[in-house]
Amino acid sequence: MPDIPVGSQIFDLVFHPTHPTVYAGLLNGSVKAFRYDEQGQHEQTFSIRPSKRSCRCVATNEDGSHLFAAGKAKSIFTIDTTTGTVTSTRSEAHDSPINRIKHLLPSMFCTGDDDGVIKLWDPRRTQEIRRYGHHFDFISDFLWLGDKKQLISTSADGTLSAIDVRGKKLEPLAQSEDQEDELLSIVAIRNGSKVVVGTQLGILSIFNRSQGWGDCVDRVPGHPQSIDALCAIPSSYPSSHSTVLTGSSDGLVRAVQLFPTKLLGVVADHGSFPVERIKVDQNGEGRWVGSAGHEDTLKMTDLNEVFEDESHDDEDNADAQSDEEVGPDMEGAGEEKDHSADGNEVLLSVMEAVSGDESQDSEGPKEKKRKRKGNKDTLVGKKKGRNEIEAEASFFSGL
């Protein structure tokens, strides 16, 4: 699809839950809507400027009938997506500019500002439900865990926090230790059992929900600059349970598989402009991914073209694995089980090879890996298990 010109720098974007429509919040304070089709054609459906100050964040309600917009004006505007008009305004909703907004439940949405304040709102009321002030730097991103009714927030103060929206306490349910890095983006993988956080230093920090929110359990280095945006891919793709789209300050949108760690490819290139937002249409299950940088265009990429080769490769690998399992060599089956059991150890070897860590802790796993591999110099596993590693030791070096 051709890039969609919007006339100003894009701060945030969101897709309609069911219709092929995308909304963009712009630096000049405007909110614009564009309808697109399967052939890549697009047209503007409405443009409104509720404030002269920048619109930093936008979010739709559950059915897409209303759009919430906020930004530097510190106010929250509710826009009717059918008519393109402002239906209500919450003036001075925050004491500082609002940086993030997210719809949670039919009767609740949340906002986060530059001072780290988080507020919960009922769309039917003008005053907030609750206010949280445990962060002291800007709120960079939100993640909604519907199964536990928990709101996860990331902040530039280096911490992640979990809020139970059903409770009445003005304190978070949990807050992580200081990660000594700005946390900029967040996304859930593996059916919500793990959470991936993008950082200022270009590291993907992985949190395991079953082990709490105190600290990350894995760190995947490799991106040359900050990871400002994260997004999951549609569940229809074979590797969706462990693959994320990353938007970095170097202008590239990448598809990165985490279990095992593998760079699948570059999805979009924004040149020298940092990538601030990534979203997939149809509630994350669609065909198009929209990405926005500091340029005045919205880039739309067809995911089917990006991942079509992966589907064929996955089928071929599955057939090869099936042939090995039915063979008489039971020793090979046992070896496959060992690879699966040592998945975390192999992943650690890859991450340490990428980061160039020469500490004593990193030598142990790499030595064991070389023993299994013989005298080979590359981290390549036998194609017998699902956790196989097919990556050079410097597979991230070209990023």
Side-chain angles (χ1 to χ4, degrees), residues 213-235:
W213 302 105
D215 200 359
C216 63
V217 296
D218 281 312
R219 290 162 63 86
V220 181
H223 287 75
Q225 297 183 34
S226 63
I227 305 171
D228 301 319
L230 287 172
C231 180
I233 66 173
S235 59

Side-chain angles (χ1 to χ4, degrees), residues 79-148:
I79 302 172
D80 189 317
T81 57
T82 303
T83 62
T85 58
V86 176
T87 58
S88 67
T89 301
R90 294 173 176 82
S91 300
E92 299 297 325
H94 281 254
D95 295 331
S96 300
I98 301 172
N99 195 52
R100 297 295 287 176
I101 188 169
K102 188 173 184 63
H103 179 264
L104 308 179
L105 297 167
S107 59
M108 184 181 295
F109 67 93
C110 65
T111 52
D113 68 21
D114 281 355
D115 287 338
V117 174
I118 299 172
K119 291 188 177 184
L120 302 181
W121 302 86
D122 187 330
R124 301 163 295 184
R125 303 177 183 177
T126 57
Q127 296 297 319
E128 73 267 18
I129 302 173
R130 281 188 296 280
R131 176 186 185 277
Y132 301 89
H134 51 277
H135 289 294
F136 61 84
D137 208 338
F138 70 88
I139 302 300
S140 56
D141 206 357
F142 286 126
L143 173 66
W144 172 242
L145 300 178
D147 57 339
K148 295 292 185 180

Side-chain angles (χ1 to χ4, degrees), residues 187-261:
V187 69
I189 59 173
R190 291 203 164 183
N191 296 321
S193 63
K194 294 182 184 293
V195 169
V196 183
V197 177
T199 69
Q200 179 69 31
L201 295 179
I203 295 173
L204 292 171
S205 298
I206 301 175
F207 287 78
N208 191 330
R209 288 179 61 186
S210 63
Q211 299 183 23
W213 302 105
D215 200 359
C216 63
V217 296
D218 281 312
R219 290 162 63 86
V220 181
H223 287 75
Q225 297 183 34
S226 63
I227 305 171
D228 301 319
L230 287 172
C231 180
I233 66 173
S235 59
S236 58
Y237 297 109
S239 63
S240 62
H241 64 286
S242 62
T243 299
V244 296
L245 302 179
T246 67
S248 178
S249 291
D250 65 355
L252 296 180
V253 178
R254 299 174 173 87
V256 180
Q257 184 174 308
L258 297 174
F259 302 102
T261 304

Side-chain angles (χ1 to χ4, degrees), residues 36 65 69 107 132 162 170 254 299 303 306 347 369 384:
Y36 56 91
S65 60
S107 59
Y132 301 89
L170 301 181
R254 299 174 173 87
K299 188 176 290 292
L303 285 175
V306 176
L347 177 61
K369 183 65 181 176
K384 290 187 178 181

Side-chain angles (χ1 to χ4, degrees), residues 359-374:
S359 64
Q360 183 64 29
D361 292 339
S362 66
E363 289 298 327
K366 287 197 285 188
E367 183 177 357
K368 293 182 70 175
K369 183 65 181 176
R370 286 196 298 268
K371 185 176 181 180
R372 284 200 300 267
K373 299 295 296 176

Side-chain angles (χ1 to χ4, degrees), residues 193-339:
S193 63
K194 294 182 184 293
V195 169
V196 183
V197 177
T199 69
Q200 179 69 31
L201 295 179
I203 295 173
L204 292 171
S205 298
I206 301 175
F207 287 78
N208 191 330
R209 288 179 61 186
S210 63
Q211 299 183 23
W213 302 105
D215 200 359
C216 63
V217 296
D218 281 312
R219 290 162 63 86
V220 181
H223 287 75
Q225 297 183 34
S226 63
I227 305 171
D228 301 319
L230 287 172
C231 180
I233 66 173
S235 59
S236 58
Y237 297 109
S239 63
S240 62
H241 64 286
S242 62
T243 299
V244 296
L245 302 179
T246 67
S248 178
S249 291
D250 65 355
L252 296 180
V253 178
R254 299 174 173 87
V256 180
Q257 184 174 308
L258 297 174
F259 302 102
T261 304
K262 183 192 302 183
L263 174 66
L264 299 182
V266 174
V267 176
D269 186 353
H270 287 257
S272 59
F273 297 102
V275 180
E276 297 285 353
R277 295 288 188 269
I278 310 172
K279 297 286 177 64
V280 176
D281 68 346
Q282 301 295 318
N283 265 336
E285 296 295 334
R287 165 186 175 187
W288 299 99
V289 55
S291 56
H294 285 185
E295 69 267 52
D296 59 356
T297 58
L298 171 63
K299 188 176 290 292
M300 300 281 283
T301 307
D302 188 351
L303 285 175
N304 289 340
E305 296 179 358
V306 176
F307 290 100
E308 61 180 356
D309 293 336
E310 180 196 0
S311 300
H312 298 301
D313 293 342
D314 188 78
E315 292 176 358
D316 294 342
N317 291 337
D319 293 340
Q321 180 180 349
S322 176
D323 293 340
E324 289 185 0
E325 288 178 349
V326 299
D329 188 1
M330 298 306 294
E331 182 179 356
E335 187 174 352
E336 177 185 352
K337 181 178 181 181
D338 291 340
H339 276 284

Side-chain angles (χ1 to χ4, degrees), residues 378-390:
T378 56
L379 290 171
V380 181
K382 297 180 180 180
K383 295 184 178 180
K384 290 187 178 181
R386 294 184 178 180
N387 290 329
E388 62 192 14
I389 298 295
E390 294 185 77

